C-alpha cells in the first residue's frame, strides 16, 4: 500500500480553509507555551461557544440534556469537555484525548546563583530531550510564582520583540576537541543546562571615610543581587519565592510557516498541542450527536502521565461520574458500563519519515508528512512493551467511518523495531476496557525545540476527529 499525498486531494477553495486553520493553530501555539497558558486559551474559546463550568452547573442544581456543553479544569493544567448526546451515557461515549505538556527546562526551587560574573538559573529538564539541542538558542521564561500570602505572579519574558531572552552557553569550537569525542548524550550534561540571566553587577555607593562619596564599587555576588533587585522591582518577588514557583524555560519566538511554499509549520510544542488543538476544534465543530462527545487534554504525559494532573489521576473518571449524575443516569455500575463501552482516539503525534535518517525507519510502516492523519495500532518499545494494541474490529470500524467521510489517513509505527519507541496515554484509558487506538499528526524533529508539521495534515486530522465524534459506536 502507498500513502496518498493529501495536498493532491484538495480543491483550490479548500486550500484557503487549510491556510486559515493553520494561522489559528499557530496563534494557539504562540499563546499557549505552557500547560497553564493552554488551559487559559482553551477556556476562553469554549466559553464563547456556550460551554459552562461543571462546578457551576452542579452548584446551580441544573440538569444536563442533549446538546448541553460543560467543562472541568483540574489544577489549571488539565481539562475535560463534554457535549451531551441523545443516548444514555451508560451506552458509552466518544472520547478524544491529547496532552498539552511538552519537553522543556524547568527552573529548580533553589535556582539563582552567580559564577564567573554571570547570574544563572539552575534547571532540570522535563521529558525526553536531546540536551545538546537546547544550547545557544534564544529562550523564554513562562510560569507562575505563588507567594506566601497566596498572591500569584505571572511570568512571561522573552516573547515580545523588546523583551530580553536567555540562553544556555556552549563551549567554543576552538576548544572543543575533547567535548566532540563524547557521546551525544554526554556532550551536554543535564546539570550544564543552566540558563544565563545576567552579567551586570549591582553597583553600590561607598560612604566610608576612606573613599570618595562619588566612588562606586561592587560587592560579593553583585550580579545575583542585581537580578534580585530587578525581580523585586518588576514582579515584587524575592529569592525565597522560587520555592513555590512553577517556571518553564521554552524556546523564544513565534510559530512560523516553513518552506518557500509555506506548506509546513515550524514551532515549539507541537507534540502534542497539534492534537490538542485539532481535538478542541473538532469538539467545537460537531453538531448534536447520539453519543456524548468528550475531549480530555492533560498534563504530565511526557513524564509518564503521573501526578494529580496526569492521565493516571482519577479526575477524568470523577468528571464522567458528575456528568452522568447531572443527566440522571449515575450509578457505580452505569459508570463502569459507560467507560467500558466508550470509544477513544488517543490523539498523539507520530514520527514522520526523515530522508536524512532513512535507516531508522521501516519505509512501509512509517508516517509521511502530508500523508494525512496517522494511526498507530500499537506504540511501545521493541517488543511492544508499554503499549496499547488496538483490536482489529475497532480498526475496521474506524476505517469504515473514514471511508464514509473521505478522510485521508495512513498507518505507521514509530520506527524500526529494535531502535526504541515511545508511549501515550492510550493504555491508561484502555484499563477501563474501552476501545482505544493511537492517532494524530506526523511530526518531523519530534521533541526538538522546533518541530515541523504539514498544514494539510493538521487540517485533515481535525476532519478525522469530527468524523469520529459524530459516527463512532461499536454497540
Amino acid at each position: 500500500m502507498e500513502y496518498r499525498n493529501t495536498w493532491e486531494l484538495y480543491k483550490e477553495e479548500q486550500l484557503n480553509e487549510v491556510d486559515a486553520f493553520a494561522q489559528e493553530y499557530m496563534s494557539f501555539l504562540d499563546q499557549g507555551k505552557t500547560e497553564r497558558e493552554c488551559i487559559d486559551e482553551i477556556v476562553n474559546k469554549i466559553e464563547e461557544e456556550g460551554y459552562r463550568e461543571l462546578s457551576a452547573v452542579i452548584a446551580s442544581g441544573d440538569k444536563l440534556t442533549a446538546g448541553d456543553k460543560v467543562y472541568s479544569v483540574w489544577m489549571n493544567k488539565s481539562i475535560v469537555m463534554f457535549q451531551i448526546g441523545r443516548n444514555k451515557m451508560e451506552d458509552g461515549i466518544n472520547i478524544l484525548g491529547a496532552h498539552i505538556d511538552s519537553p522543556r527546562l524547568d527552573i529548580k526551587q533553589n535556582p539563582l546563583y552567580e559564577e564567573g560574573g554571570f547570574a544563572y538559573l539552575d534547571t532540570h529538564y522535563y521529558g525526553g530531550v536531546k540536551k545538546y539541542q537546547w544550547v545557544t538558542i534564544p529562550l523564554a521564561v513562562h510560569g507562575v510564582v505563588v507567594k506566601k500570602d497566596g498572591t500569584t505572579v505571572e511570568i512571561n519574558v522573552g516573547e515580545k520583540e523588546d523583551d530580553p531572552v536567555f540562553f544556555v552557553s556552549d563551549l567554543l569550537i576552538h576548544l572543543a576537541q575533547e567535548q566532540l569525542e563524547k557521546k551525544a548524550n554526554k556532550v551536554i550534561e543535564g546539570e550544564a543546562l543552566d540558563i544565563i540571566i545576567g552579567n551586570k553587577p549591582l553597583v553600590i555607593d561607598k560612604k566610608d571615610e576612606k573613599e570618595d562619596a562619588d566612588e562606586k564599587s561592587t560587592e560579593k555576588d553583585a550580579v545575583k543581587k542585581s537580578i534580585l533587585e530587578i525581580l523585586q522591582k518588576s514582579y515584587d518577588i524575592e529569592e525565597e519565592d522560587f520555592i513555590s514557583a512553577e517556571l518553564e524555560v521554552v524556546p523564544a519566538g513565534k510559530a512560523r510557516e516553513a518552506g518557500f511554499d509555506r506548506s509546513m509549520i515550524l514551532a515549539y510544542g507541537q507534540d502534542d498541542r497539534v492534537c490538542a488543538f485539532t481535538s478542541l476544534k473538532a469538539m467545537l465543530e460537531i453538531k448534536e450527536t447520539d453519543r456524548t462527545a468528550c475531549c480530555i487534554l492533560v498534563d504530565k504525559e511526557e513524564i509518564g502521565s503521573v501526578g494529580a494532573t496526569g492521565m493516571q489521576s482519577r479526575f477524568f473518571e470523577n468528571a464522567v461520574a458528575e456528568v452522568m449524575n447531572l443527566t440522571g443516569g449515575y450509578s457505580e455500575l452505569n459508570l463502569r458500563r459507560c467507560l467500558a463501552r466508550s470509544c477513544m482516539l488517543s490523539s498523539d503525534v507520530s514520527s514522520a519519515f526523515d530522508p536524512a535518517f532513512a535507516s531508522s525507519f521501516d519505509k512501509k510502516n512509517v508516517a509521511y508528512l502530508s500523508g494525512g492523519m496517522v494511526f498507530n495500532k500499537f506504540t511501545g518499545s521493541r517488543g511492544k512493551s508499554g503499549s496499547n494494541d488496538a483490536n482489529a474490529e475497532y480498526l475496521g470500524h474506524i476505517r469504515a467511518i473514514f471511508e464514509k467521510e473521505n478522510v485521508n489517513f495512513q498507518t505507521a509505527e514509530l520506527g524500526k523495531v529494535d531502535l526504541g519507541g515511545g508511549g501515550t496515554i492510550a493504555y491508561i484509558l484502555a484499563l477501563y476496557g474501552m476501545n482505544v487506538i493511537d492517532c494524530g499528526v506526523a511530526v518531523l524533529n519530534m521533541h526538538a525545540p522546533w518541530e515541523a508539521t504539514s498544514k494539510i495534515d493538521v487540517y485533515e486530522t481535525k476532519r478525522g476527529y469530527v468524523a469520529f465524534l459524530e459516527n463512532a459506536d461499536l454497540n
Side-chain angles (χ1 to χ4, degrees):
M1 295 183 294
E2 294 185 2
Y3 83 100
R4 297 181 297 169
N5 190 308
T6 313
W7 289 108
E8 298 174 353
L9 306 177
Y10 273 49
K11 297 179 180 179
E12 188 65 32
E13 58 268 23
Q14 293 175 293
L15 297 179
N16 293 328
E17 296 179 15
V18 172
D19 276 326
F21 191 79
Q23 293 300 322
E24 186 180 357
Y25 167 54
M26 290 164 67
S27 176
F28 176 80
L29 290 174
D30 294 340
Q31 299 302 317
K33 285 195 169 182
T34 70
E35 304 86 350
R36 291 173 182 268
E37 291 171 353
C38 279
I39 293 298
D40 288 343
E41 282 294 298
I42 291 164
V43 169
N44 289 338
K45 287 181 182 293
I46 64 178
E47 286 189 342
E48 290 176 357
E49 298 294 331
Y51 275 80
R52 294 186 292 164
E53 193 168 8
L54 181 59
S55 60
V57 177
I58 294 171
S60 70
D62 293 343
K63 296 296 182 181
L64 295 176
T65 58
D68 287 341
K69 304 172 183 179
V70 293
Y71 75 91
S72 179
V73 171
W74 196 245
M75 295 186 180
N76 299 314
K77 296 179 187 176
S78 295
I79 187 170
V80 57
M81 296 166 267
F82 300 89
Q83 179 176 300
I84 307 305
R86 290 180 285 263
N87 295 351
K88 298 181 297 182
M89 289 183 67
E90 176 187 348
D91 294 331
I93 63 180
N94 291 340
I95 305 168
L96 298 173
H99 65 92
I100 53 175
D101 61 317
S102 294
R104 60 178 187 259
L105 307 180
D106 283 343
I107 301 298
K108 293 182 180 180
Q109 265 52 67
N110 184 23
L112 183 58
Y113 69 97
E114 180 177 336
E115 184 70 37
F118 294 105
Y120 291 88
L121 286 178
D122 198 359
T123 73
H124 192 135
Y125 63 90
Y126 173 97
V129 301
K130 291 181 177 179
K131 298 185 285 291
Y132 62 80
Q133 294 178 330
W134 287 78
V135 301
T136 73
I137 63 173
L139 299 170
V141 177
H142 294 237
V144 297
V145 178
V146 181
K147 302 168 69 174
K148 286 185 291 186
D149 63 1
T151 303
T152 298
V153 181
E154 294 187 1
I155 307 291
N156 187 333
V157 185
E159 301 296 351
K160 298 178 182 177
E161 288 188 6
D162 58 350
D163 274 356
V165 294
F166 313 97
F167 65 99
V168 178
S169 64
D170 192 13
L171 185 62
L172 66 163
I173 186 65
H174 309 74
L175 302 177
Q177 181 176 345
E178 292 183 355
Q179 182 194 42
L180 294 176
E181 292 175 356
K182 296 180 179 179
K183 291 184 177 180
N185 64 348
K186 295 292 185 181
V187 168
I188 299 294
E189 301 279 359
E191 290 294 351
L193 289 175
D194 296 351
I195 62 170
I196 293 177
I197 60 169
N199 179 235
K200 184 167 65 176
L202 178 68
V203 180
I204 60 175
D205 289 328
K206 289 289 187 180
K207 301 297 186 181
D208 58 41
E209 298 176 356
K210 296 182 180 179
E211 298 188 66
D212 185 86
D214 292 330
E215 184 179 352
K216 294 183 182 296
S217 182
T218 58
E219 59 181 36
K220 184 179 179 182
D221 288 342
V223 180
K224 174 182 174 180
K225 290 177 181 178
S226 175
I227 297 299
L228 286 172
E229 185 176 87
I230 293 170
L231 294 176
Q232 178 65 44
K233 288 181 178 179
S234 300
Y235 304 105
D236 191 27
I237 59 177
E238 56 190 31
E239 186 172 8
E240 286 189 357
D241 290 328
F242 281 110
I243 294 173
S244 50
E246 289 182 358
L247 298 173
E248 302 178 12
V249 180
V250 300
K254 293 184 176 181
R256 300 289 296 272
E257 294 175 307
F260 281 116
D261 56 4
R262 298 178 182 268
S263 61
M264 296 168 287
I265 297 168
L266 191 69
Y268 165 71
Q270 297 199 73
D271 177 7
D272 183 34
R273 292 175 189 137
V274 65
C275 293
F277 180 76
T278 46
S279 296
L280 166 66
K281 292 295 290 184
M283 286 290 290
L284 298 181
E285 187 173 315
I286 58 173
K287 308 302 182 185
E288 191 170 316
T289 56
D290 288 333
R291 282 161 67 96
T292 292
C294 173
C295 177
I296 319 163
L297 304 176
V298 294
D299 182 26
K300 298 293 188 289
E301 191 276 344
E302 296 293 1
I303 59 171
S305 298
V306 296
T309 55
M311 195 64 245
Q312 294 192 57
S313 167
R314 294 289 181 87
F315 85 91
F316 165 67
E317 182 181 329
N318 293 343
V320 174
E322 294 284 6
V323 170
M324 290 188 73
N325 191 52
L326 293 175
T327 64
Y330 174 77
S331 71
E332 181 66 17
L333 180 58
N334 283 348
L335 174 62
R336 299 299 159 198
R337 287 173 174 169
C338 169
L339 295 172
R341 294 169 177 172
S342 293
C343 295
M344 182 190 180
L345 297 184
S346 174
S347 307
D348 210 335
V349 297
S350 188
S351 56
F353 177 71
D354 187 341
F357 302 96
S359 62
S360 295
F361 303 95
D362 172 4
K363 293 181 181 180
K364 303 185 303 301
N365 292 284
V366 65
Y368 289 85
L369 235 60
S370 303
M373 191 174 177
V374 185
F375 280 91
N376 294 79
K377 185 178 186 296
F378 51 85
T379 53
S381 300
R382 298 176 178 87
K384 301 186 180 181
S385 175
S387 171
N388 170 67
D389 198 342
N391 280 355
E393 291 85 350
Y394 189 40
L395 267 168
H397 181 58
I398 298 296
R399 286 177 60 200
I401 292 171
F402 280 19
E403 182 174 337
K404 171 189 171 186
E405 300 295 336
N406 295 313
V407 176
N408 190 35
F409 71 94
Q410 54 187 323
T411 61
E413 297 182 15
L414 289 180
K416 284 191 174 179
V417 174
D418 285 333
L419 288 187
T424 68
I425 65 173
Y427 77 96
I428 302 169
L429 277 299
L431 294 174
Y432 292 112
M434 70 176 70
N435 278 287
V436 184
I437 189 170
D438 284 295
C439 71
V441 177
V443 173
L444 202 65
N445 308 339
M446 191 190 298
H447 279 218
W450 295 94
E451 300 168 316
T453 57
S454 168
K455 286 182 179 179
I456 201 79
D457 288 340
V458 177
Y459 187 77
E460 192 72 357
T461 297
K462 184 269 298 183
R463 292 188 64 245
Y465 290 163
V466 170
F468 167 81
L469 290 175
E470 293 180 339
N471 294 281
D473 188 353
L474 277 174
N475 290 340

